[in-house]
Amino acid sequence: MNKSGIKHLVFDLGGVIIRLDKSNAIKRFKEIGVDTIEQYLDDYEQKGIFGELESGKLTAEEYRDQVSEIAGKQLTMEQLEYAWTGYAVELFQRNFDALLQLRGMGYRVALLSNTNPFMMHWARSERFDGNGHGIDYYFDQLYLSYEMRLMKPDVAIFEAMLAGEHATADQVLFIDDSARNCAAAASVGIHTLNPANGSDWRPDVFGLIE
């Protein structure tokens, strides 16, 4: 297919497909009454019950009960989705177009994300891209931390993704804005690209596969 031997392109969601802004998420969580939110939120890997939600140790309902205790009032699923999606401050049509172009060229395109049911309820809905499509429209497969009960940068999540893709490590290019996640992927032989949050990764991706 190409000189590099890459056949599978695996993208991170936050920071790569979507530009993230943690400060906006913090603002929204405070709006709904979670005043101590800074101690839980991180750019790449959440802490406490927020991390347990993303690693699948807590269900959405269990998480809602516990975060409601922190807030001192009962929070709704809608409020929590509003707060979580505060992270997603910008979506780029260029990225969606590139994903479809890559699939049209014969590459298998997958998502590998540390995420949670609230973010994915939005991402998998027709509200996601502004054009009536959910995220599944753009990818062949979604590998989601809370469903897999694994989190990047645990090497096991990359091994599980390779098994799911029926791919060898040298056939995969992994694109993630976290240098730590890229290092973990590279440790098992996966090709990596580490773009900055919200940057245009297209020239580098197409340059590596051509």
Side-chain angles (χ1 to χ4, degrees):
M1 187 178 292
N2 59 64
K3 290 176 185 175
S4 67
I6 292 167
K7 298 177 181 177
H8 303 253
L9 300 166
V10 179
F11 291 85
D12 176 35
L13 177 60
V16 177
I17 305 303
I18 299 168
R19 185 171 73 81
L20 293 183
D21 185 343
K22 183 176 71 174
S23 65
N24 194 53
I26 286 170
K27 177 169 140 296
R28 287 193 181 186
F29 270 105
K30 288 190 171 181
E31 275 179 46
I32 66 169
V34 187
D35 295 329
T36 56
I37 187 61
E38 283 99 338
Q39 69 191 55
Y40 299 104
L41 291 193
D42 185 75
D43 291 322
Y44 305 116
E45 191 177 5
Q46 311 305 344
K47 299 177 177 67
I49 61 170
F50 288 71
E52 289 175 3
L53 177 70
E54 298 216 322
S55 62
K57 292 175 183 168
L58 288 178
T59 66
E61 277 291 353
E62 289 167 339
Y63 165 81
R64 181 172 75 124
D65 289 342
Q66 293 192 32
V67 80
S68 292
E69 285 186 29
I70 293 169
K73 61 182 178 182
Q74 189 63 29
L75 298 172
T76 67
M77 292 296 202
E78 291 75 21
Q79 285 175 306
L80 290 167
E81 182 176 320
Y82 166 76
W84 272 109
T85 54
Y87 263 113
V89 289
E90 195 169 10
L91 287 79
F92 303 99
Q93 187 61 44
R94 67 177 191 234
N95 291 348
F96 298 134
D97 292 342
L99 294 170
L100 295 177
Q101 182 182 350
L102 289 162
R103 290 175 74 188
M105 292 166 65
Y107 291 95
R108 186 167 160 87
V109 177
L111 184 83
L112 177 61
S113 178
N114 285 353
T115 189
N116 63 71
F118 298 97
M119 283 294 286
M120 293 311 297
H121 184 262
W122 161 70
R124 296 188 109 155
S125 76
E126 61 185 19
R127 295 172 287 142
F128 174 63
D129 70 349
N131 296 312
H133 299 299
I135 195 169
D136 294 83
Y137 180 76
Y138 297 99
F139 290 95
D140 294 300
Q141 183 68 41
L142 306 184
Y143 296 96
L144 308 174
S145 60
Y146 70 97
E147 291 182 346
M148 300 172 76
R149 302 196 166 203
L150 292 167
M151 295 269 285
K152 296 178 292 183
D154 187 340
V155 167
I157 200 169
F158 296 103
E159 292 171 337
M161 176 272 292
L162 291 175
E165 289 296 290
H166 306 289
T168 56
D170 62 345
Q171 294 174 325
V172 176
L173 174 62
F174 173 61
I175 303 100
D176 195 308
D177 64 315
S178 162
R180 186 171 65 159
N181 293 344
C182 285
S187 76
V188 297
I190 295 170
H191 301 282
T192 63
L193 180 65
N194 180 213
N197 176 26
S199 65
D200 186 357
W201 40 259
R202 295 173 303 163
D204 290 326
V205 168
F206 284 97
L208 284 167
I209 64 178
E210 286 171 353

